[in-house]
Amino acid sequence: MKRYPKTEKYDNNWIQENWMGPNPLILLEELCEHLDLKPGLKVLDMGCGKGLTSIFLAKEYGVTVFANDLWIDATENLRRFEQADVADKVYPIHAEAHALPYANGFFDAAIAVDCYHYFGAGENYFVDVFSKLVKPGGQFGIVIPGLKREFEKGYPDTLEKLWIPEFYAFHSDKWWRTLWEKTGLCKITASYPMEDSKKLWQDWADWSVENFERVFNDGEPGDADFKLLEADTNNDLALVVMAAKKSN
């Protein structure tokens, strides 16, 4: 498996106490290979969850981060940022993806790790919302669960019994590339399924079986991802990486 030296500096127990899907630091480190992040840049971290990615961005790249999430309370995230000694660089925000409190062109970069498919798979979101947040020449980056290719029914036959409505937002890197590229608002600089997708996803799935209900306590089954990966015998699932630069 590919090494991620920046992620390896962080305590795995701390990551597992706060992750909400496949290791977000690995996903972000992979994504950042295709971004040019420098100290002082303003970065939107959409769907930051419990703020792991925001902490990582501030510590590893010295950027100023606006840590935006709907599900996790901003005050809770602030405590984590204070504990990580990045509260001077990371600002916790509680806002829904379609009602963001930011000025157009405010950010140098906008990223979303393991969340963009929840709100951005529609035809108009990139045009009407996401692209407007970033200044000309700025950067975009997402990592999302998806598929290695498109299927006529929207899903592989092997996953038919487990497919639920939200999975229809799972798409291939080519599909995502087309969604953004056809707008003429950006130039795609990277789009591909991660090489170690299934291993990274499986690590989360195995952990969830034992810990999900204990940690989240919301009545959801902890084995949903495990069953999905187990049924994916043709290895059609993937974690998709895409980066782009906004047109001037």
Side-chain angles (χ1 to χ4, degrees), residues 101-122:
Y102 312 111
N104 290 345
F106 181 72
F107 294 103
D108 298 289
I111 68 166
V113 175
D114 197 14
C115 63
Y116 192 84
H117 57 297
Y118 287 121
F119 48 80

Side-chain angles (χ1 to χ4, degrees), residues 56-247:
F56 187 90
L57 286 166
K59 284 183 173 290
E60 301 302 323
Y61 300 97
V63 296
T64 299
V65 185
F66 287 74
N68 197 106
D69 200 79
L70 176 65
W71 295 346
I72 304 301
D73 181 70
T75 302
E76 178 185 334
N77 272 343
L78 175 61
R79 300 294 172 258
R80 267 186 288 273
F81 301 151
E82 291 171 340
Q83 292 168 4
D85 198 27
V86 295
D88 61 331
K89 291 183 178 179
V90 184
Y91 299 91
I93 308 292
H94 183 264
E96 200 274 330
H98 296 83
L100 299 172
Y102 312 111
N104 290 345
F106 181 72
F107 294 103
D108 298 289
I111 68 166
V113 175
D114 197 14
C115 63
Y116 192 84
H117 57 297
Y118 287 121
F119 48 80
E123 286 287 325
N124 296 324
Y125 186 79
F126 184 74
V127 174
D128 293 340
V129 182
F130 212 58
S131 68
K132 291 181 178 179
L133 299 171
V134 175
K135 62 183 63 175
Q139 303 170 83
F140 305 100
I142 61 175
V143 186
I144 53 234
L147 300 165
K148 290 182 179 177
R149 62 184 179 90
E150 295 300 304
F151 294 85
E152 184 175 353
K153 294 188 294 186
Y155 53 81
D157 290 338
T158 55
L159 304 180
E160 183 171 9
K161 293 182 179 179
L162 296 172
W163 211 251
I164 58 177
E166 70 178 56
F167 292 166
Y168 283 107
F170 286 8
H171 291 287
S172 66
D173 61 299
K174 292 180 180 179
W175 185 95
W176 284 104
R177 183 182 190 116
T178 299
L179 183 69
W180 283 15
E181 207 164 38
K182 68 184 180 183
T183 68
L185 296 172
C186 68
K187 178 180 179 180
I188 304 299
T189 55
S191 64
Y192 60 93
M194 286 183 68
E195 182 178 346
D196 299 314
S197 292
K198 289 291 289 289
K199 174 64 171 65
L200 293 169
W201 203 334
Q202 191 68 55
D203 288 345
W204 158 255
D206 292 344
W207 180 90
S208 294
V209 169
E210 296 184 7
N211 296 280
F212 194 94
E213 292 183 13
R214 174 181 63 81
V215 174
F216 293 93
N217 193 31
D218 59 4
E220 292 189 21
D223 61 354
D225 282 34
F226 184 89
K227 288 181 177 178
L228 190 68
L229 292 170
E230 186 178 45
D232 183 33
T233 53
N234 290 334
N235 292 318
D236 293 310
L237 292 171
L239 296 170
V240 173
V241 176
M242 190 165 74
K245 184 175 182 179
K246 186 171 181 178
S247 301

Side-chain angles (χ1 to χ4, degrees), residues 24-51:
L25 300 192
I26 288 180
L27 304 189
L28 179 56
E29 187 170 350
E30 177 83 17
L31 175 63
C32 285
E33 292 179 3
H34 309 286
L35 301 175
D36 183 19
L37 300 180
K38 300 175 181 177
L41 294 184
K42 296 192 295 292
V43 177
L44 172 62
D45 186 7
M46 275 287 288
C48 69
K50 295 186 179 181

